[in-house]
């Protein structure tokens, strides 16, 4: 199982638009092989910082997700609404 | 429900020691009011970057956690083994 942590720095005036675009990712992602969890959170201090937490059965499943049609169609639209590059951590349980 | 994301930057030669110290947090934290989830992950690219993901029923429950005896006894020991200040994001579900 892998856990990914993605910090997404959205333009302050595009948060709702970004979330609308992101919504298109949820259903197709939940249908992918190895999908476990796919949640988006909003930082309380900086509402324009959104954090996506994903759990996948394997790294391979996550890599397939990155190659998926919906990912490559929607993520570029999300990037247009971001104020700077995001951060992605791909992790394994430490304990 | 709140989700916290804590990035902890451990000294490269103190990872195992850090995890041993951190173990002392798990059981008492799981007994606290409002505890839902408390997991520690290790970044695949930087094994000295540990990410703690916590879910709590409320912000108040999380604040009580920060005031708890075990937190104030153990976290200072963890900080001694860190190479730089950590990052804490306190979040709510965005969707």
């Amino acid at each position: 199982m892998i856990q990914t942590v993605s910090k997404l720095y959205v333009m302050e005036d595009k948060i709702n638009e970004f979330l609308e675009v992101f919504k298109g990712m949820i259903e197709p992602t939940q249908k992918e092989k190895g999908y476990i969890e796919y949640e988006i959170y909003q930082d309380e201090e900086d509402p324009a910082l959104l954090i996506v937490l994903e759990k996948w059965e394997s790294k391979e499943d996550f890599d397939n997700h990155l190659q998926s049609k919906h990912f490559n169609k929607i993520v570029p639209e999300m990037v247009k609404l971001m104020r700077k590059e995001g951060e992605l951590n791909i992790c394994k349980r430490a304990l």
Side-chain angles (χ1 to χ4, degrees), chain A residues 4-39:
Chain A
T4 69
V5 178
S6 308
K7 288 193 177 181
L8 308 176
Y9 301 93
V10 183
M11 294 173 191
E12 270 88 359
D13 59 341
K14 302 284 186 193
I15 301 170
N16 290 334
E17 194 178 334
F18 184 93
L19 287 169
E20 280 308 309
V21 171
F22 181 84
K23 275 181 188 168
M25 284 293 291
I26 299 172
E27 220 175 292
T29 298
Q30 290 174 336
K31 290 179 182 142
E32 289 187 62
K33 179 181 166 297
Y35 156 83
I36 299 172
E37 199 175 84
Y38 188 74
E39 293 168 351

Side-chain angles (χ1 to χ4, degrees), chain A residues 8-91:
Chain A
L8 308 176
Y9 301 93
V10 183
M11 294 173 191
E12 270 88 359
D13 59 341
K14 302 284 186 193
I15 301 170
N16 290 334
E17 194 178 334
F18 184 93
L19 287 169
E20 280 308 309
V21 171
F22 181 84
K23 275 181 188 168
M25 284 293 291
I26 299 172
E27 220 175 292
T29 298
Q30 290 174 336
K31 290 179 182 142
E32 289 187 62
K33 179 181 166 297
Y35 156 83
I36 299 172
E37 199 175 84
Y38 188 74
E39 293 168 351
I40 187 165
Y41 293 91
Q42 185 172 35
D43 185 79
E44 291 207 328
E45 266 173 35
D46 174 8
L49 168 55
L50 299 176
I51 300 180
V52 178
L53 300 179
E54 306 173 42
K55 285 187 171 78
W56 293 89
E57 297 284 353
S58 71
K59 174 72 161 48
E60 197 199 335
D61 291 323
F62 178 65
D63 289 340
N64 290 335
H65 170 63
L66 301 185
Q67 305 305 324
S68 67
K69 238 191 324 188
H70 50 280
F71 186 96
N72 286 286
K73 185 176 150 237
I74 294 172
V75 168
E77 299 308 312
M78 290 163 56
V79 169
K80 285 179 195 163
L81 304 170
M82 289 171 63
R83 65 180 189 269
K84 67 175 182 175
E85 202 177 342
E87 294 159 33
L88 168 64
N89 295 99
I90 301 170
C91 309

